[in-house]
Amino acid sequence: MGRTHALTGWCAGLALAPVLGAGTVHQAVVFGATTAGFALLPDLDHPGASASRLLGPLTGLISWILRRTSAALYALTKGPRDEKVTGQHRHMSHTVLFALGLGAATAAGTRAGGPWAVAGVVIFGLLLGAAALGDWLLPVAAGGVAWWIYTAGPDHARELSEVSGWLGIAVAAGCFAHCLGDSLTVAGCPFLFPIPIAGETWYEIRPPRALRFRTGKKVENRLIFPVFAIAAVLLVPGVWAFTTSTAHRLFVPPASQTANP
């Protein structure tokens, strides 16, 4: 479901942010919020998805174009054992190639377009994420952006260059997190296209039958979403260290009390 995709995208963004040098709380929050939003983007290939309905006719038109393009690509490239389906939903936009291509296009576009392009990508990602996780995401991310600008000081050009590169990775990571989530469901996800597997160009990657779950059912709602909700908090920079230090103070007696007389 959309909220689980957004939540796993948020976790992926928070985990990646320190690796990329976005280690402060405000940087990680902006990166994670953007990744959360773009973890919903692959479902633009479904007319009823929140991403397709986000901006009304505009995203509806993009969804229509994406579905038609995906169907044409599927008809052109399907292998001898691929299913007889339209090739619209969970096909072209649910691949690693799509994630990498969109991430590269985002990085190039934001570098060329400057601050307005960066703002457009961030705002679109935040709107997507808020549509799935709730409006709380907007003030949290907006506060992160404001603090980021304030702490950047006069060196805005360098900050903008870093943000442009990070946004490309955030977009790609969000799309890939979506694919990984779908690959755990009963239907699977052909994210390794166009690598042929067992006679299928669009082979649905999925775990053994016992580990698959149905979208929107008990496993997702009662296990997967709560686990990632906890991880979403613990991955915020500083929270894990604060939690462990607090637990240590509460449950581990001081050395003076445990030492032998």
Side-chain angles (χ1 to χ4, degrees), residues 158-183:
R158 183 183 62 83
E159 288 284 336
L160 181 62
S161 177
E162 289 184 353
V163 172
S164 299
W166 290 343
L167 285 182
I169 297 173
V171 168
C175 293
F176 184 59
H178 183 109
C179 294
L180 290 180
D182 278 354
S183 70

Side-chain angles (χ1 to χ4, degrees), residues 80-82 195-201 203:
R81 298 187 62 184
D82 279 310
I195 298 175
I197 302 174
E200 297 183 36
T201 310
Y203 183 84

Side-chain angles (χ1 to χ4, degrees), residues 17-256:
V19 178
L20 299 173
T24 63
V25 174
H26 57 279
Q27 290 174 334
V29 164
V30 175
F31 188 90
T34 306
T35 305
F38 282 93
L40 295 166
L41 192 80
D43 275 347
L44 265 173
D45 64 3
H46 192 291
S50 57
S52 302
R53 296 181 282 107
L54 181 66
L55 300 178
L58 176 59
T59 47
L61 176 61
I62 297 173
S63 173
W64 182 85
I65 294 172
L66 183 60
R67 293 197 306 274
R68 294 300 182 273
T69 305
S70 181
L73 180 64
Y74 181 75
L76 184 66
T77 61
K78 65 179 180 179
R81 298 187 62 184
D82 279 310
E83 291 84 354
K84 294 181 179 180
V85 294
T86 62
Q88 295 185 12
H89 182 48
R90 282 200 185 185
H91 281 80
M92 186 182 75
S93 63
H94 287 66
T95 64
V96 174
L97 282 181
F98 180 86
L100 294 176
L102 189 61
T106 300
T110 50
R111 285 196 183 96
W116 290 108
V118 170
V121 172
V122 172
I123 291 172
F124 184 64
L126 293 183
L127 291 175
L128 280 171
L133 293 177
D135 292 340
W136 64 267
L137 188 63
L138 294 176
V140 168
V145 171
W147 190 251
W148 195 339
I149 293 173
Y150 175 76
T151 56
D155 199 5
H156 292 296
R158 183 183 62 83
E159 288 284 336
L160 181 62
S161 177
E162 289 184 353
V163 172
S164 299
W166 290 343
L167 285 182
I169 297 173
V171 168
C175 293
F176 184 59
H178 183 109
C179 294
L180 290 180
D182 278 354
S183 70
L184 298 176
T185 64
V186 173
C189 181
F191 65 83
L192 290 182
F193 166 86
I195 298 175
I197 302 174
E200 297 183 36
T201 310
W202 299 85
Y203 183 84
E204 292 86 358
I205 306 296
R206 48 194 161 190
R209 188 178 300 273
L211 299 178
R212 304 171 195 167
F213 65 89
R214 291 189 177 276
T215 303
K217 301 301 181 181
K218 291 181 179 180
V219 173
E220 179 177 358
N221 293 328
R222 299 182 183 180
L223 176 62
I224 295 176
F225 187 84
V227 167
F228 276 98
I230 295 171
V233 176
L234 295 178
L235 284 169
V236 175
V239 171
W240 177 253
F242 174 78
T243 302
T244 54
S245 64
T246 302
H248 186 271
R249 289 196 302 269
L250 291 174
F251 299 109
V252 178
S256 60

